[in-house]
Amino acid sequence: MQDCDYRDTHLTHLGRDATVSGGFVNVPVCRGSTILADTLEQWTQRKEPDNPYASYGRFTNPTLQTLAQAVADLEGGHRAWLFPSGLAACTHALQGMLQQGDHVLLPDSVYGPVRAFALQVLSKRLGVHVQFYEPSLGAGLAALLRDNTKVVYVESPGSGTFEIQDIPAIARCAHQVGAYVIMDNTWATPLFFRPFEHGVDISIQAATKYLTGHSDALLGVATANERAWPLLRQAAHDFGQTAGPDDAFLALRGLRTLGVRLRQHQASALQLARFLECQPQVRRVLHPALESHPGHALWKRDFHGSTGLFGVVLEPLSAEQLSRFFRALRLFGIGLSWGGFESLALPMDMPLRDGRPLFGPGQLLRLHAGLEDVQDLQDDLQSALTAAYRVREVCRA
Ligand SMILES: *Cc1c(COP(=O)(O)O)cnc(C)c1O
């Protein structure tokens, strides 16, 4: 792993502008639609060619602007746009780069709702050629590229399956045919993966997760480089995409503590992953920072750290045993999303690749290590494993 680089000083100070906040440490929640101009000249001036939209609440607002700039800055991109959810950021980035007849490549490990959007909207309704590829392909992706390939989508690690992708190799191939590389960088956050240093053109954060960090808002951010920015901005405008200032304020607040939170998520998840790897009821742990992970070397080369979400494959168990596992958990909640302060556990369907279960037989689980004491979390998992696999006294008549 490269040296940990939390950039805490940067996180503490970025986007703080006393002229916007009136001296307060935090920029206020700015609510509003109409922005009045003092004179007709000022009104005309605001609609300058570089920013014809700087005159309405849907296009600009000090709270939204501060967050967008802070995230663009952290990701290392040119500009960012806010969306009302992480999924909206993914779908609008995709449709903004694509038109009828274009070809798009997405990894098999892509976030499920993005896969559904690609099939139901891009393919069926917009006439885009959608193709899925094996996430570990790397430079082998070149064989799949066509003259009309406009987007190569990447997500590393993969949703629920945690494959690490060779993003620099993929980006080099994609750029040879002029395609845009769109990355879902939610798992690593810009603190642990610098997308633009690895050839990404648009980086997406489901800010619902770590950026906001408290499970109290839904928000997405897409950051583009200079090449992709005009198309991304146009797509956001054409579809009327914006975000609420209260949610943006919460994300800005979350951002200040991203470094310290991730440090704890990282340490706790690693301890739990190592613990689980030694348990007889566990077939496999899917965590890229473990030496046993097939993508470990790539992760070490490209990432600055690991976060709190990882996968576990339990030895095969019955529905009744799985139910006992979840009933025995006291601290891990059963629920969607992740990236908040609380620990979560969720059973996942084992994905099929080429018709076969990806990780063999067994039950796939997704765990999020929250900010509870890690020993308490470990004890919780231990007792759930014991409850699920304990030999029951069978009464025979
Ligand atoms: C949760 C998630 C999203 C979608 O974010 P929402 O804010 O829930 O719409 C996108 N990508 C990944 C990898 C996610 O985990």
Side-chain angles (χ1 to χ4, degrees):
M1 189 175 75
Q2 303 174 25
D3 284 346
C4 280
D5 176 5
Y6 295 94
R7 293 180 286 168
D8 285 332
T9 306
H10 197 195
L11 281 173
T12 308
H13 289 268
L14 91 177
R16 282 174 46 191
D17 181 347
T19 59
V20 175
S21 64
F24 282 105
V25 170
N26 294 293
V27 64
V29 179
C30 296
R31 297 192 181 88
S33 50
T34 300
I35 303 165
L36 295 173
D38 289 337
T39 62
L40 190 58
E41 288 69 27
Q42 190 188 46
W43 173 250
T44 312
Q45 194 189 358
R46 279 209 195 130
K47 299 170 84 66
E48 63 208 24
D50 179 47
N51 189 3
Y53 306 103
S55 49
Y56 187 44
R58 194 167 76 234
F59 311 126
T60 191
N61 164 326
T63 319
L64 304 183
Q65 196 64 26
T66 302
L67 176 63
Q69 262 165 21
V71 176
D73 188 332
L74 282 174
E75 293 260 38
H78 172 59
R79 300 261 179 87
W81 195 263
L82 305 186
F83 294 85
S85 70
L87 180 60
C90 299
T91 58
H92 287 89
L94 276 164
Q95 61 86 10
M97 306 296 126
L98 291 163
Q99 24 184 325
Q100 187 178 17
D102 286 347
H103 175 233
V104 55
L105 285 161
L106 301 110
D108 274 325
S109 53
V110 71
Y111 179 61
V114 171
R115 169 184 282 268
F117 172 81
L119 293 171
Q120 288 163 27
V121 180
L122 294 179
S123 172
K124 228 184 251 175
R125 295 177 54 199
L126 301 182
V128 170
H129 301 284
V130 171
Q131 186 180 358
F132 294 94
Y133 66 93
E134 162 61 41
S136 63
L137 213 47
L141 189 89
L144 303 181
L145 291 166
R146 307 178 193 164
D147 291 342
N148 62 341
T149 306
K150 286 288 152 52
V151 170
V152 178
Y153 195 91
V154 293
E155 186 180 334
S156 184
S159 265
T161 46
F162 299 94
E163 298 94 333
I164 295 290
Q165 297 198 258
D166 190 343
I167 291 172
I170 290 172
R172 274 193 296 276
C173 303
H175 290 157
Q176 271 171 11
V177 297
Y180 293 98
V181 177
I182 302 180
M183 176 175 192
D184 187 328
N185 192 29
T186 301
W187 182 86
T189 85
L191 294 202
F192 289 161
F193 187 85
R194 307 279 190 80
F196 296 95
E197 292 174 10
H198 297 284
V200 168
D201 298 292
I202 295 182
S203 178
I204 290 159
Q205 289 294 323
T208 307
K209 310 286 168 58
Y210 285 124
L211 262 50
T212 300
H214 295 71
S215 307
D216 52 5
L218 282 159
L219 200 67
V221 191
T223 303
N225 60 14
E226 282 188 62
R227 180 169 85 107
W229 173 245
L231 285 175
L232 177 71
R233 185 179 66 180
Q234 196 59 49
H237 289 324
D238 288 341
F239 283 79
Q241 290 297 304
T242 184
D246 295 272
D247 289 342
F249 179 88
L250 290 172
L252 269 170
R253 182 157 78 172
L255 208 55
R256 305 302 178 194
T257 57
L258 184 62
V260 285
R261 284 186 289 111
L262 284 191
R263 238 167 292 188
Q264 190 58 51
H265 287 296
Q266 166 163 257
S268 295
L270 257 175
Q271 179 174 328
L272 297 178
R274 294 211 165 99
F275 160 76
L276 288 166
E277 226 178 11
C278 300
Q279 303 311 303
Q281 305 96 329
V282 172
R283 283 178 65 87
R284 189 162 169 179
V285 178
L286 312 170
H287 188 310
L290 293 180
E291 294 71 15
S292 59
H293 191 278
H296 181 68
L298 276 180
W299 171 81
K300 226 167 137 169
R301 186 192 71 184
D302 293 344
F303 286 70
H304 298 269
S306 58
T307 57
L309 191 78
F310 65 101
V312 181
V313 183
L314 298 180
E315 289 291 348
L317 76 180
S318 67
E320 153 64 14
Q321 284 179 293
L322 189 61
S323 166
R324 283 213 302 266
F325 178 88
F326 279 97
R327 253 180 286 140
L329 287 174
R330 292 280 169 265
L331 299 176
F332 283 82
I334 307 171
L336 283 179
S337 200
W338 46 275
F341 53 84
E342 79 287 13
S343 289
L344 295 169
L346 209 59
M348 310 283 283
D349 289 334
M350 177 74 74
L352 298 178
R353 297 263 170 90
D354 302 324
R356 282 194 301 273
L358 182 59
F359 302 114
Q363 174 64 51
L364 182 59
L365 297 181
R366 192 182 76 177
L367 298 180
H368 181 251
L371 302 179
E372 300 91 339
D373 288 315
V374 65
Q375 193 56 47
D376 291 340
L377 294 177
Q378 185 172 313
D379 293 347
D380 205 31
L381 291 173
Q382 172 83 78
S383 59
L385 285 173
T386 306
Y389 290 88
R390 74 169 174 258
V391 181
R392 302 244 286 179
E393 285 174 25
V394 183
C395 300
R396 286 178 209 281

